[in-house]
Amino acid sequence: VREGWKRLRIDAVLFDGYGTLFTGGMDCLYEVCGDIASDHHLDLDGKALLKIWDGYFFPMVREGAFGTFRRINNVSLGRVFRQLGVDAPTEGYIDHLFDRLGRVSLYDDVRPALTRLTLPHGVVSNADSDHLEAALAKNKLTFELVVSSESARCYKPNPEIFDPALETLGLPAERVLYVGDSQEDDIVVAKRAGLIVAWLNRDGAERREGIPYPDFIIESLSELGAVLGSNHK
């Protein structure tokens, strides 16, 4: 946690979803990719197939007209299939992926941290609304403010994803803390939007070249108390 946090006024907290509150999102992807490789006898493991898929997926998320997470996954996986010579529909695999994403579990530090948090707080996540709401309901989490990329009609690292949350909170960006695990999709986007940033670095990763310095670095949500100071119960 950086020194000098008392100089920052924090009146609300926003959390990333997958990788910050929810664990197992990447496992869902690896499982689906492994199923594809096995079903179609590909000489690839799940991680290798996902790397190819990412090459089609991320340009669609970050460029061009908005599409839902489900549509982008279907279209990008279709392009993977064409590259690999797989003649099969993608929808069943994407349905399975979204079902899994709606049934992920919480990290152990989430519920205690939220229980102690007295400030207004919400979720801003790259996700379609259905599986994000399903994951929240499955884990019995209730937030008054939930913004998905689908509801915002844009994806991180586009800073406009925060506009609906800031409007609902009625606060300027510089008084809102954003907590997330991704260097590109959380640190970069929150800095672009002018929010205070707490990088949740659970694994002790090195900050990559070109990634701005976050305001705080925490290894667990249990450290939010030190970040929020007197704003925290």
Side-chain angles (χ1 to χ4, degrees):
V1 176
R2 90 172 197 181
E3 296 181 359
W5 55 263
K6 289 183 179 179
R7 294 194 297 271
L8 295 174
R9 176 176 173 180
I10 298 172
D11 292 331
V13 183
L14 298 173
F15 295 91
D16 168 54
Y18 294 86
T20 298
L21 301 177
F22 305 121
T23 182
M26 290 303 301
D27 292 336
C28 299
L29 278 165
Y30 291 141
E31 178 184 316
V32 169
C33 289
D35 288 345
I36 292 168
S38 176
D39 291 348
H40 302 286
H41 310 290
L42 301 176
D43 189 21
L44 296 168
D45 61 15
K47 289 187 177 181
L49 195 148
L50 182 59
K51 185 175 182 180
I52 297 172
W53 191 354
D54 283 348
Y56 292 108
F57 174 82
F58 284 109
M60 292 188 67
V61 166
R62 293 171 179 166
E63 303 167 8
F66 175 80
T68 63
F69 197 45
R70 184 181 292 271
R71 177 183 178 278
I72 289 174
N73 272 286
N74 266 305
V75 172
S76 57
L77 183 58
R79 292 172 180 172
V80 174
F81 280 11
R82 285 193 291 276
Q83 176 181 330
L84 299 178
V86 174
D87 183 14
T90 61
E91 287 79 8
Y93 293 110
I94 301 304
D95 288 346
H96 178 59
L97 171 62
F98 274 61
D99 176 67
R100 285 288 315 276
L101 289 172
R103 294 187 289 111
V104 290
S105 299
L106 297 178
Y107 285 97
D108 291 340
D109 56 0
V110 172
R111 206 175 300 280
L114 294 179
T115 298
R116 294 192 297 270
L117 186 57
T118 59
L119 293 175
H121 51 283
V123 178
V124 177
S125 179
N126 273 357
D128 280 357
S129 298
D130 57 356
H131 70 85
L132 178 59
E133 294 284 1
L136 291 168
K138 183 259 183 184
N139 290 286
K140 297 181 172 59
L141 289 186
T142 302
F143 292 89
E144 293 183 4
L145 172 60
V146 177
V147 176
S148 67
S149 50
E150 183 178 14
S151 67
R153 308 298 292 176
C154 65
Y155 290 93
K156 298 180 290 182
N158 184 339
E160 292 178 6
I161 196 170
F162 290 111
D163 290 351
L166 296 174
E167 182 177 351
T168 299
L169 290 168
L171 292 170
E174 62 268 20
R175 283 164 47 192
V176 177
L177 176 71
Y178 188 61
V179 183
D181 67 294
S182 169
Q183 297 190 43
E184 179 69 30
D185 286 344
D186 293 325
I187 299 176
V188 170
V189 67
K191 280 292 185 181
R192 285 178 180 171
L195 279 74
I196 303 165
V197 184
W199 177 27
L200 179 57
N201 185 12
R202 296 183 187 275
D203 301 322
E206 294 291 329
R207 184 178 57 87
R208 298 195 302 273
E209 185 176 352
I211 300 296
Y213 284 98
D215 298 285
F216 305 94
I217 301 175
I218 58 177
E219 296 180 354
S220 167
L221 292 179
S222 64
E223 297 174 60
L224 274 181
V227 171
L228 297 174
S230 61
N231 292 307
H232 198 262
K233 187 176 178 180

